[in-house]
Amino acid sequence: MSHFSFKLSSRIIVGDYSLEKLGLEASWYGKQCFFIIPHALQDSELVKKITAILEHQGLSVLLFSNKSDAVCSDALEHALALAHGSCADMVIAAGDAATVTIGRAVAAVYNETKPVAALIEDQLCTAEPLPFFEVPTVCYHSFAFAPFIPLFDTH
C-alpha cells in the first residue's frame, strides 16, 4: 500500500445541533461544495438534510455518490475530476471510512499540479488544500487524525 503525506489543520465541532452549523461554517470558504457520500446513502434522510442545510445558506452542492468500497487511486482520480469540473471551493464528505478518506484526499490534492501517481510515489503535496468538512456515520476511523492518507495504487 502506498501513501502520500500532507497537512490539514483541524477544527472539530461536536454536540447538539452541530450538523445545523455546517452551512454557516462552510459559507466562509466559498459557494461551491463538492459533497461526497457512499452510494448506499444516496437517498437517505441524512444526505437530504445536509444538502438542505447547505442550500439554505446559499451554497451550490454537487453530490458525488462514491460507488467504490476501496480507498484507491482510481476512486480518487474519478472524484478529483468531478470536483475540478464543479470548481469546488470545499469538500464535504459524509459516510463510512472509505468515503471520508477519499474526500480527505480530494481536498488535499485538489490544487496540486502533480498527477496523483506522482504523489503516491512519495512526492510531497505542496499546494494549499481545499477546506474539508467531515460528517462521519461510523464511530471508528483509524486514520481520522493521521498525517497521511492510506491509498491503494490501482495503476
Side-chain angles (χ1 to χ4, degrees):
M1 176 170 40
S2 298
H3 72 275
F4 55 93
S5 299
F6 68 99
K7 179 179 169 92
L8 290 176
S9 60
S10 298
R11 181 166 162 223
I12 301 168
I13 301 172
V14 180
D16 293 340
Y17 304 105
S18 56
L19 188 58
E20 283 75 10
K21 296 174 186 169
L22 178 62
L24 181 60
E25 292 292 326
S27 69
W28 287 97
Y29 298 98
K31 293 289 183 193
Q32 300 293 114
C33 301
F34 183 69
F35 183 21
I36 180 171
I37 59 165
H39 188 67
L41 290 181
Q42 188 168 353
D43 296 320
S44 71
E45 290 302 315
L46 175 65
V47 171
K48 292 175 186 172
K49 181 176 183 176
I50 292 171
T51 302
I53 288 168
L54 296 169
E55 289 175 345
H56 177 74
Q57 200 65 36
L59 302 173
S60 176
V61 179
L62 175 67
L63 185 63
F64 170 60
S65 177
N66 182 29
K67 294 181 181 175
S68 175
D69 290 333
V71 181
C72 63
S73 56
D74 283 345
L76 171 58
E77 288 174 336
H78 185 160
L80 191 57
L82 291 171
H84 279 127
S86 74
C87 300
D89 295 316
M90 69 203 73
V91 177
I92 300 170
D96 57 18
T99 301
V100 168
T101 301
I102 292 294
R104 287 177 67 212
V106 169
V109 303
Y110 182 87
N111 290 316
E112 285 293 335
T113 56
K114 295 172 254 183
V116 169
L119 297 169
I120 290 173
E121 294 297 323
D122 288 332
Q123 288 192 23
L124 294 176
C125 294
T126 55
E128 192 70 25
L130 285 183
F132 175 68
F133 297 88
E134 176 180 340
V135 181
T137 58
V138 292
C139 294
Y140 182 72
H141 186 330
S142 55
F143 298 101
F145 299 104
F148 60 88
I149 295 173
L151 184 74
F152 291 100
D153 185 4
T154 50
H155 292 108

